[in-house]
Amino acid sequence: MAIKAWTVFALFALCTGVTSGATPSSLSFDQALQLILQNDFTLRLSENNLERMKARKLGAYAQFLPNVSVAATQNRDSGFQETDRTTTGIMDFSLWRNGVDVMGVRAQEFSKRSAEEQFSHENLNAEDRATQALFDYLWRQQDISIKRAQVEARQELLKITKTRYSQGLIPEDQILASEVDLENAQSTLTFSELELQDTRAELERSLPGLSQGQELESTWPFVKILKGTTVQTLLARRPDKGDRPDFQELLFAMQASDLNVLRAKGNFLPTVDFRAQRSKQSIYGNNQYETSFAFTITIPLFERLSNYVSFRESEYQSYQAQYQMTALDQKFDADFKAKHQTLSHALERQQAREDILKKGEKLFNLMKAHYSAGKLSYKDLALEQERFFNSRLNYAQGLKDVHNALVAYCHALGQSLKACLL
């Protein structure tokens, strides 16, 4: 049985890629995205704020509980001899607070829900930052791959040019031009490699595995989705502010601030409290017991303007919440329309770039064959080669743009990528 169990574990480790002391050789886009989100400190701060609001809500409910305390005193005379000892148990209970305590519970509930929506909104922001970093890294990887291919093509072209020059078919200036073009291509590749190193160093903060030899899969994650019907279905959707976490966050915050204004007003009114007290007093060994009950009406007359200041602060917070909601209302339609158009145009441009890339590749191969046969000058072939590789770079840049546009559009709908692309 032990051998069988070990065999099952080994097979499981092999299938999942998890072995002791081993690092997976590649990391998928989804895996990298989840790891970055787990290491996002801004997202953690938002989560901590949510936990803080939950604790404050618990404190609001605790206002309905009695306050119980025990006090003990001991007195001694000038000879340090005990004269009396008193032990007192006190229970205070609030009977009437003008609804301030009830409104406090409701306000904290709205604040908690606002914090939940703020956490959801921050999730979208963190996902936006993470995807932009990953897409930029993927694009730089492909940029280097294309420029390496360009260097290889320049090397091949230089070889062909030298052969034709040795046959006396072309002048020496074409060899010099080919060498200069090759040096320029190599320099451009070097600069791109340095930029990739900087981008990789930024990613390593959230993906420590990259510094241990791990690599990201160099494939764009949503190519199939962008060519399918899912995106067209998304583009046909009508925007709804109610689906946006930032709208819900402001809505609940505004409701909480309105209740806080009412609570501040309630502090100007009288309150009623109840106190029960039981005490035991020992005087030179004689015990005396006393029980008392009291109802207290407290009428605030002058609290050094503390109630007034609290009221004015709550009013200003309410105004601020209303202004933020108005600002979101004003820009919502225009913002959504802009992201809708950006995605639509990116899809159209990407399809055009793909078509141009296919034609450019076919044309470049034809021109290369003509040059080898002596039917074309070096200048014409070099220009065609430059046009072909620019088409490849534009296609890769377009993939980056359309992927970023898709993420931005999903977030404008108020959804994460996972929920949006189901």
Side-chain angles (χ1 to χ4, degrees):
M1 290 297 294
I3 295 176
K4 184 177 180 181
W6 173 252
T7 304
V8 172
F9 173 80
L11 288 173
F12 175 79
L14 182 62
C15 294
T16 57
V18 180
T19 58
S20 59
T23 302
S25 58
S26 64
L27 199 63
S28 69
F29 176 84
D30 290 337
Q31 291 172 331
L33 178 59
Q34 292 305 314
L35 286 174
I36 292 177
L37 293 180
Q38 290 173 12
N39 295 321
D40 192 292
F41 291 104
T42 305
L43 193 57
R44 290 185 183 180
L45 289 175
S46 180
E47 186 176 11
N48 291 340
N49 179 62
L50 175 58
E51 295 301 321
R52 182 172 64 89
M53 288 302 169
K54 290 180 180 178
R56 292 182 65 177
K57 180 184 175 183
L58 181 62
Y61 277 108
Q63 297 179 51
F64 297 99
L65 300 176
N67 185 21
V68 181
S69 61
V70 177
T73 60
Q74 186 183 65
N75 296 320
R76 294 178 180 273
D77 58 19
S78 58
F80 208 70
Q81 297 296 318
E82 181 181 312
T83 58
D84 65 273
R85 182 188 302 170
T86 304
T87 304
T88 306
I90 303 171
M91 182 187 73
D92 292 318
F93 191 79
S94 176
L95 296 179
W96 178 249
R97 283 286 183 272
N98 305 296
V100 171
D101 44 9
V102 176
M103 286 186 289
V105 171
R106 293 178 59 193
Q108 288 303 323
E109 173 61 25
F110 285 131
S111 295
K112 181 184 75 71
R113 295 175 69 180
S114 177
E116 289 173 345
E117 296 297 336
Q118 194 271 339
F119 179 62
S120 298
H121 184 214
E122 189 54 44
N123 260 298
L124 299 185
N125 291 334
E127 188 175 70
D128 183 68
R129 293 189 296 268
T131 52
Q132 284 192 28
L134 289 172
F135 293 153
D136 186 56
Y137 185 74
L138 288 174
W139 173 73
R140 293 191 184 281
Q141 281 185 314
Q142 296 199 355
D143 176 65
I144 286 179
S145 177
I146 293 170
K147 288 176 179 177
R148 282 175 180 165
Q150 187 174 20
V151 169
E152 292 173 358
R154 294 290 189 190
Q155 290 173 340
E156 183 182 3
L157 183 57
L158 177 60
K159 183 178 179 181
I160 295 174
T161 304
K162 287 182 176 180
T163 300
R164 296 192 65 200
Y165 173 74
S166 64
Q167 296 172 351
L169 300 176
I170 58 174
E172 184 181 5
D173 62 325
Q174 293 193 14
I175 293 182
L176 296 175
S178 181
E179 289 175 343
V180 170
D181 288 340
L182 175 59
E183 288 293 334
N184 288 334
Q186 289 174 333
S187 297
T188 303
L189 173 61
T190 300
F191 293 142
S192 295
E193 289 174 340
L194 293 175
E195 290 176 348
L196 177 64
Q197 290 178 4
D198 293 338
T199 305
R200 186 184 181 93
E202 289 294 325
L203 272 181
E204 285 178 358
R205 299 178 182 179
S206 302
L207 298 174
L210 292 181
S211 61
Q212 301 172 4
Q214 212 169 32
E215 288 292 341
L216 274 177
E217 293 180 0
S218 58
T219 55
W220 293 98
F222 306 130
V223 172
K224 292 183 179 179
I225 292 175
L226 291 168
K227 293 183 177 181
T229 59
T230 302
V231 174
Q232 300 305 321
T233 303
L234 287 175
L235 289 172
R237 288 181 56 176
R238 298 177 62 88
D240 186 358
K241 286 183 291 188
D243 295 333
R244 292 269 297 261
D246 52 346
F247 173 81
Q248 293 294 338
E249 175 192 352
L250 293 179
L251 178 63
F252 290 133
M254 188 170 64
Q255 292 172 331
S257 62
D258 291 341
L259 284 172
N260 286 331
V261 173
L262 295 177
R263 291 181 64 207
K265 289 181 178 179
N267 289 331
F268 292 102
L269 301 176
T271 59
V272 180
D273 299 295
F274 169 76
R275 167 171 285 198
Q277 181 172 313
R278 173 72 171 174
S279 62
K280 173 187 176 182
Q281 186 176 25
S282 299
I283 303 177
Y284 297 108
N286 297 320
N287 295 331
Q288 296 180 3
Y289 296 91
E290 182 179 352
T291 303
S292 63
F293 301 95
F295 290 92
T296 305
I297 299 178
T298 304
I299 302 175
L301 297 179
F302 184 71
E303 300 291 335
R304 291 178 294 183
L305 298 180
S306 60
N307 288 340
Y308 175 76
V309 171
S310 297
F311 169 68
R312 295 300 292 172
E313 286 182 348
S314 62
E315 269 197 327
Y316 291 134
Q317 289 176 353
S318 178
Y319 296 151
Q320 181 181 2
Q322 292 174 11
Y323 295 151
Q324 289 175 336
M325 179 63 76
T326 302
L328 179 61
D329 285 334
Q330 290 177 348
K331 71 177 184 179
F332 175 78
D333 290 332
D335 180 68
F336 184 84
K337 183 179 179 181
K339 288 182 170 57
H340 184 279
Q341 291 178 346
T342 299
L343 179 57
S344 299
H345 294 163
L347 288 169
E348 294 173 1
R349 291 196 304 270
Q350 185 60 21
Q351 184 60 50
R353 286 171 175 173
E354 186 175 353
D355 295 338
I356 291 173
L357 178 60
K358 292 177 181 178
K359 294 177 181 178
E361 184 177 8
K362 182 178 180 181
L363 180 60
F364 171 66
N365 291 329
L366 288 174
M367 300 290 274
K368 182 179 176 181
H370 291 331
Y371 180 73
S372 298
K375 300 178 182 179
L376 191 69
S377 68
Y378 170 80
K379 181 179 179 181
D380 292 334
L381 180 59
L383 180 63
E384 195 59 46
Q385 188 183 68
E386 189 73 21
R387 182 183 294 116
F388 168 60
F389 282 103
N390 283 338
S391 298
R392 291 185 63 181
L393 290 172
N394 287 336
Y395 177 72
Q397 179 67 50
L399 283 172
K400 175 186 173 183
D401 293 341
V402 75
H403 275 70
N404 280 324
L406 176 63
V407 174
Y409 183 75
C410 285
H411 291 172
L413 291 172
Q415 292 183 316
S416 65
L417 276 174
K418 184 176 180 180
C420 183
L421 301 178
L422 285 177

